[in-house]
Amino acid sequence: MSDYSISIIPKKSSYPNRKEKATEILEWLVHKNIINSDPSDCTLGSKFGYAISEEAKRITCFPNELPFSLITNGLDIITERQVFDTCQYGLDECICPNCKENIASEDWSFFNDWHEQKSNNLTCPLCNIATDIHQFTFSPEWGFSDLGFTFWNWPDLTDDFIEEFSHKLGCDVSIVYTYI
Ligand SMILES: [Zn+2]
């Protein structure tokens, strides 16, 4: 069976005090009984995650579709810079905010400086203007940060929950749907 995930990612390339914030969010979700406090092998990541718990029903639009019966059912917390892409959902458009061209089909080496933490900008390969990565329009949505929260095999999250999550992070968030 294929796995999918929903990730919540702050729209900040370098999130200040990201490890402390990761712990704060973890404690908040455990307190609400949305996830289990004991790390376990419940994600596709190489490290342990936090398995789904009973009150997850309150934060999804489709409680009957929650993955209680699956092994891969947990939350993975990422605290290293990464591109949160969509895997098989791909990338249809990446629009430069300066020249408004779609650069999704260009050579993706323009991501390298961001990936190597040399810059928070992307330099458009067509107009050569560097702009903050979060000013580009990715369709479907991608995320770019050194902090992220990935829920494995969970159905759509409610708008209220995403709003509350965004408030906890103190900034706008990207919601990235990944299909493996
Ligand atoms: Zn451009």
Side-chain angles (χ1 to χ4, degrees):
M1 188 189 145
S2 301
D3 289 289
Y4 57 91
S5 68
I6 301 174
S7 298
I8 301 176
I9 303 124
K11 289 190 177 179
K12 285 187 179 180
S13 293
S14 299
Y15 193 95
N17 300 318
R18 67 189 193 283
K19 295 202 169 159
E20 287 84 349
K21 182 56 78 172
T23 303
E24 182 193 321
I25 297 276
L26 172 63
E27 287 171 353
W28 169 57
L29 295 174
V30 167
H31 178 72
K32 288 171 80 84
N33 198 24
I34 290 169
I35 52 168
N36 202 301
S37 60
D38 298 325
S40 61
D41 186 9
C42 61
T43 73
L44 290 192
S46 54
K47 56 187 175 46
F48 279 9
Y50 301 90
I52 189 170
S53 192
E54 197 61 23
E55 296 298 312
K57 291 173 186 163
R58 294 184 184 276
I59 60 144
T60 172
C61 312
F62 305 101
N64 292 336
E65 294 175 21
L66 282 166
F68 285 104
S69 61
L70 299 180
I71 295 167
T72 304
N73 69 13
L75 168 67
D76 191 9
I77 301 180
I78 294 98
T79 55
E80 303 301 329
R81 179 176 286 214
Q82 83 171 48
V83 174
F84 294 82
D85 65 43
T86 55
C87 286
Q88 292 201 30
Y89 287 133
L91 178 63
D92 296 329
E93 284 188 337
C94 171
I95 306 292
C96 167
N98 182 56
C99 68
K100 315 290 185 202
E101 294 291 332
N102 179 11
I103 56 173
S105 57
E106 301 296 318
D107 176 0
W108 284 11
S109 56
F110 63 84
F111 275 112
N112 289 353
D113 282 357
W114 187 90
H115 216 269
E116 291 162 16
Q117 306 192 40
K118 291 177 186 162
S119 172
N120 292 337
N121 296 334
L122 291 183
T123 300
C124 172
L126 298 182
C127 68
N128 273 318
I129 300 291
T131 319
D132 185 279
I133 195 166
H134 291 104
Q135 301 298 316
F136 287 75
T137 306
F138 289 81
S139 173
E141 190 164 22
W142 284 21
F144 305 92
S145 184
D146 53 10
L147 180 64
F149 302 84
T150 298
F151 297 86
W152 281 101
N153 290 316
W154 292 34
D156 287 0
L157 305 172
T158 64
D159 290 343
D160 283 353
F161 178 67
I162 291 170
E163 198 173 306
E164 201 177 354
F165 212 115
S166 172
H167 186 72
K168 289 266 175 202
L169 289 169
C171 63
D172 287 341
V173 295
S174 304
I175 307 296
V176 177
Y177 297 88
T178 299
Y179 180 73
I180 293 184

